[in-house]
Amino acid sequence: MRTKRATWIPVVTAIMKKGNEVLLGRRPEGNTLAGLWEFPGGKLELGESPKQALHRELQEELGIDAKIGDLRIANSHQFGDKGILLLFFEVPYWTGEPKSIHHSELRWVKKEEISRLEIPDTNRVVLNEILEII
Ligand code: DGT
């Protein structure tokens, strides 16, 4: 018997550090996961590589020109009948100051403060891996 083929959504996100702080953005009202603090990024568009997609997202969401570094964490998560494949890249440098074009707020968050914020489950399950990188 064939099961229903799953729908997968690839999402790329950025780990941007400044000292011992990392950049998080608060998801705007009206979106999925509104109000939660996420790593900047978004969905891949057709024809893009993951790094190209992340470069575009950071330009659109933060107004920066970023150098996308290595893929550090890959994780999958189920939302109802859809799957999200979340790829976390290190972003070692960028030009421009990040602005909240898309998020309701941006914040540089200390390593030890991340777990106290409301973050998506997709991030919470890999928080230990994230903390090792920061
Ligand atoms: P939506 O409302 O689900 O269509 O999403 P958009 O259009 O606001 O989405 P976008 O491009 O930011 O998509 C990212 C999807 O991945 C969104 O459904 C939320 C989910 N997600 C889970 N964890 C994270 C994270 O740490 N960062 C980002 N950017 N998205 C995450």
Side-chain angles (χ1 to χ4, degrees):
M1 194 179 74
R2 281 179 69 108
T3 52
K4 191 169 172 273
R5 202 173 276 273
T7 304
W8 280 95
I9 302 171
V11 174
V12 286
T13 68
I15 296 181
M16 296 169 58
K17 293 184 280 188
K18 202 163 70 176
N20 69 339
E21 296 177 330
V22 66
L23 187 65
L24 295 180
R26 195 159 199 203
R27 287 185 67 84
E29 289 308 315
N31 282 58
T32 328
L33 311 177
L36 299 193
W37 291 90
E38 68 171 12
F39 291 87
K43 296 169 187 153
L44 253 77
E45 289 179 359
L46 268 186
E48 286 179 330
S49 70
K51 287 190 178 185
Q52 285 170 339
L54 188 53
H55 183 267
R56 173 188 51 74
E57 285 285 352
L58 298 182
Q59 216 155 36
E60 292 173 1
E61 287 191 350
L62 307 176
I64 59 168
D65 183 13
K67 159 115 178 100
I68 312 301
D70 291 338
L71 170 65
R72 298 300 301 267
I73 303 168
N75 179 42
S76 58
H77 199 85
Q78 191 179 344
F79 279 111
D81 60 354
K82 291 197 183 65
I84 289 213
L85 174 69
L86 204 58
L87 305 175
F88 294 80
F89 288 87
E90 202 156 14
V91 173
Y93 29 83
W94 56 89
T95 53
E97 192 54 37
K99 295 179 288 289
S100 48
I101 299 170
H102 161 80
H103 296 97
S104 57
E105 195 184 336
L106 288 180
R107 199 185 283 178
W108 289 98
V109 181
K110 287 198 173 48
K111 195 173 164 160
E112 54 275 14
E113 286 170 2
I114 301 177
S115 64
R116 292 203 287 273
L117 291 176
E118 271 198 275
I119 58 175
D121 288 344
T122 49
N123 296 350
R124 190 148 315 259
V125 293
V126 286
L127 193 55
N128 283 343
E129 283 179 73
I130 293 171
L131 294 177
E132 276 173 25
I133 300 170
I134 300 169

